[in-house]
Amino acid sequence: MSSSAPPVSENRPPRGPFAGPGEQGRQLWRAAGEAVLAGALVLLTYQGELWIEARLTGGAPALALVGVVLVLVRRRFPVAGVLGLAALMGVVPAVALLTAVASYTAARQLETPRRRAGLLLGAAASAMAVCAVSAPHLELGSWLFGLALSSVLAVITVVVPGLVGIAAGQQDRLLRALRERTAAAEEAQRLADSESRVRERSRIAAEMHDLVGHRLSLVSLHAGGLEMALLREAPGLRDEAAVVGRAARDAMQELREVLGVLGPLARDTGTDALTDATGTRADIEALVEESRGVGIPVEFCWEGQDLDARPARVRRAVHRVVRESLTNVHRYATGAHVTVVVRHTDERVEVRVRNGVPPLPPAAATGLGSGRGLTGLRERVALLNGSLEAHRTPGGGFVVTVDLPADPGPGTETAEAAPYDDGPAAVDEPGSGLTAFQRRLAGAVTGLLGLVGVGVMMLFGVLLVSHSRYDLAYRSPEKPRVGMAEEQVRRAVAPDDDMARAAAAGREPPRPPSATGCLYPYTDRAEGGRLEIVRYCFGSDTLIAIDRFTVPIVTEKATEPPHGSRKHD
């Protein structure tokens, strides 16, 4: 009783949250290492932008932890990771480097140009919108300052790494396509070589059919003659002769049936027809004379005894090598001088066919052809435990050298041919000489250098924006004026600065008697060694005086009493 079992499915480990496309498993060790590196990056960036995160009053560590989690799952969820980190960067710029890493990874993974462009633009817009909205609430400045700061961060940490990731992804896909095309070309070459070897074996089978069939026909013919002779001389032996004749005919029929599975058998005709003289000295001289007859200058040299006493398969191989080589000369080197040398010793048979450079190039730039004929020759020689070499000569010609055993021994033709590589060399991908560890180390070093570059650009950009943040963030279409509410004034000018207040102490003009409090905004305007300070005094939450005065910038111990000017608007 037969039973059929259901197909066994492969037990593949599930794809974890930290694995990318094509990766299996949970990738926990890599995620742990990336978590440590991400935390270090956050701390370094936090130290460089402490004045921004300090406004969060304790919320920065929790948000930074969210950013670390998002960068760990960026391979599994690239879109969510980039958008989440970009939005988080608008509140916590310390995760800016993590955003750059996620943007690079996502742009490298996504293959559709529309998705890549939409992701980068959406992430940049998300960062700008969140920072513009959160800047006034965190008292960083107006929404205009938040927009300027987020624009710098979005370009440096989203757009630039994304463009680099797109280029790297295109390179990866191009290399993958080239490897696939190379593999397909190699497979096609292997199939073509296999077909050539099968055809050569079919040719060998056809030769065997011709030679063995010829001898079986002779056996059948002699058996028929013997049967006719025994009919008169010894009628009792006539039946035995008939049995021999029937056996010969049956063997012939079975030979045809066995060799018929190989398909149509290619047979030679004309002077190339296989006979008992095939491969002998007279046969090779006939091939040389045919080439000379069509205008090919051929020099022929035979060393040693004739091959008439050698096995038929050796003589057929010699015949095929010389004929195929001369045929290639007719096709691709017409008019070139050719040398045919056959050396026969007690143990080896060597055939060497060499041609020079043709006087005129061939009509079509066919090179050396497809090489299928040489593939067939190589198969035939390998079946006889011989060797074949075919290559260009330094002068530009071509040489075919075959070395065969003079007596291969019985059963050699049924052996499997030794594998060889006759196809084009595979294209090595860049860095193929490196080990996997070296490639990963080089990639890690390159990534760290890229992050350093992004970090330097980001710090310079933030420094430039923060240097002008008071001019940009607190610029209002309505200038402060006497009688304006205190809340409106505080929104229109920079926040109160302790250093400006300390510099004005003892050097400022007297306050108005009805003043309940004064505001000393931050200032960096200096001229002639003196710092200009603007003081806003309020009475009952209303601006009652605007005083502008200058104080000396102290670089060493002052020797002159301070003085200033006062002006009431």
Side-chain angles (χ1 to χ4, degrees):
M1 180 177 64
S2 63
S3 61
S4 59
V8 180
S9 59
E10 297 182 0
N11 294 326
R12 296 183 179 179
R15 183 180 173 188
F18 311 119
E23 295 180 343
Q24 301 295 334
R26 302 184 182 278
Q27 306 291 338
L28 295 179
W29 287 106
R30 184 178 66 183
E34 290 181 349
V36 174
L37 292 177
L41 291 177
V42 170
L43 290 177
L44 290 175
T45 313
Y46 178 78
Q47 293 297 326
E49 300 174 350
L50 184 62
W51 62 275
I52 298 179
E53 279 77 4
R55 308 280 182 171
L56 296 175
T57 62
L63 295 178
L65 182 60
V66 175
V68 171
V69 174
L70 288 175
V71 81
L72 292 181
V73 300
R74 70 188 186 280
R75 294 185 180 88
R76 184 68 176 85
F77 309 101
V79 176
V82 174
L83 293 178
L85 282 168
L88 192 61
M89 182 178 62
V91 181
V92 188
V95 301
L97 290 181
L98 304 186
T99 306
V101 174
S103 177
Y104 171 83
T105 303
R108 187 170 184 173
Q109 287 184 6
L110 298 179
E111 298 184 0
T112 307
R114 183 177 299 178
R115 292 190 62 188
R116 292 196 298 261
L119 177 61
L120 295 182
L121 293 178
S126 174
M128 295 169 64
V130 172
C131 191
V133 172
S134 62
H137 296 283
L138 296 177
E139 298 182 356
L140 296 177
S142 67
W143 67 271
L144 188 60
F145 169 72
L147 187 63
L149 178 63
S150 60
S151 299
V152 173
L153 293 178
V155 171
I156 295 176
T157 63
V158 176
V159 178
V160 173
L163 295 178
V164 176
I166 291 174
Q170 294 283 19
Q171 183 181 12
D172 292 341
R173 286 183 284 274
L174 177 60
L175 288 177
R176 185 166 60 249
L178 289 177
R179 286 195 293 268
E180 292 176 354
R181 292 185 61 181
T182 301
E186 291 178 349
E187 181 65 20
Q189 182 67 29
R190 283 193 293 269
L191 292 176
D193 292 346
S194 177
E195 181 183 0
S196 299
R197 290 193 290 270
V198 170
R199 287 185 178 180
E200 190 64 24
R201 293 194 176 194
S202 299
R203 190 191 301 271
I204 295 173
E207 296 170 359
M208 184 185 304
H209 174 272
D210 292 341
L211 294 177
V212 177
H214 175 65
R215 284 169 173 77
L216 288 177
S217 299
L218 292 178
V219 171
S220 179
L221 180 62
H222 287 294
L226 181 60
E227 182 180 356
M228 295 297 295
L230 291 176
L231 180 62
R232 297 189 301 269
E233 301 294 335
L237 298 177
R238 177 178 176 275
D239 293 338
E240 298 295 333
V243 170
V244 174
R246 284 195 300 270
R249 289 190 293 272
D250 292 343
M252 188 68 179
Q253 181 63 28
E254 291 176 359
L255 180 63
R256 290 194 181 97
E257 293 176 355
V258 170
L259 298 181
V261 300
L262 297 176
L265 301 179
R267 293 180 174 82
D268 298 321
T269 58
T271 57
D272 294 336
L274 297 174
T275 64
D276 291 339
T278 298
T280 61
R281 181 169 183 171
D283 178 57
I284 303 302
E285 288 179 346
L287 293 176
V288 171
E289 288 300 328
E290 283 188 358
S291 296
R292 290 172 179 171
V294 296
I296 303 296
V298 183
E299 180 181 350
F300 176 62
C301 178
W302 185 289
E303 300 178 6
Q305 298 180 353
D306 204 343
L307 296 177
D308 52 359
R310 294 301 180 183
R313 56 183 182 273
V314 175
R315 291 187 279 108
R316 292 198 302 270
V318 172
H319 174 90
R320 286 278 295 133
V321 169
V322 175
R323 189 180 65 179
E324 183 68 27
S325 300
L326 292 177
T327 301
N328 287 338
V329 172
H330 295 173
R331 291 178 180 176
Y332 311 115
T334 304
H337 183 270
V338 183
T339 302
V340 179
V341 179
V342 179
R343 293 187 180 93
H344 177 205
T345 62
D346 294 338
E347 298 180 353
R348 312 296 298 181
V349 177
E350 180 182 348
V351 181
R352 182 183 182 90
V353 181
R354 179 170 182 168
N355 66 272
V357 180
L360 295 175
T366 56
L368 295 176
S370 62
R372 306 291 166 76
L374 293 178
T375 302
L377 289 182
R378 197 185 302 272
E379 176 71 9
R380 179 183 289 266
V381 171
L383 289 173
L384 295 175
N385 289 336
S387 62
L388 182 146
E389 294 183 3
H391 56 82
R392 286 185 178 274
T393 61
F398 200 80
V399 60
V400 177
T401 304
V402 172
D403 186 17
L404 296 171
D407 190 1
T412 307
E413 288 192 352
T414 60
E416 281 294 329
Y420 62 91
D421 184 11
D422 193 36
V427 179
D428 295 333
E429 60 180 282
S432 59
L434 302 177
T435 63
F437 174 76
Q438 290 174 334
R439 288 195 294 269
R440 290 182 180 179
L441 181 61
V445 172
T446 304
L448 289 178
L449 292 178
L451 282 178
V452 170
V454 171
V456 170
M457 289 191 299
M458 183 185 67
L459 291 179
F460 273 110
V462 172
L463 182 63
L464 292 176
V465 174
S466 63
H467 182 73
S468 59
R469 68 190 182 106
Y470 292 114
D471 292 337
L472 181 63
Y474 295 98
R475 184 176 299 167
S476 175
E478 186 178 5
K479 295 183 178 180
R481 66 181 186 278
V482 176
M484 183 179 290
E486 181 179 357
E487 183 179 356
Q488 294 178 333
V489 174
R490 289 185 179 274
R491 288 199 303 265
V493 300
D496 188 69
D497 185 67
D498 294 336
M499 297 185 64
R501 185 182 293 273
R507 298 179 177 85
E508 60 181 322
R511 297 183 178 183
S514 59
T516 57
C518 294
L519 175 66
Y520 297 83
Y522 169 84
T523 180
D524 57 356
R525 297 179 181 178
E527 184 177 357
R530 303 184 68 83
L531 180 67
E532 180 180 355
I533 298 177
V534 181
R535 184 184 67 186
Y536 299 92
C537 294
F538 302 94
S540 301
D541 298 332
T542 302
L543 181 62
I544 60 175
I546 302 176
D547 299 307
R548 293 182 173 86
F549 57 92
T550 61
V551 297
I553 300 176
V554 180
T555 56
E556 57 184 16
K557 186 176 180 179
T559 57
E560 298 181 0
H563 63 278
S565 62
R566 179 180 178 184
K567 178 181 178 181
H568 292 282
D569 292 341

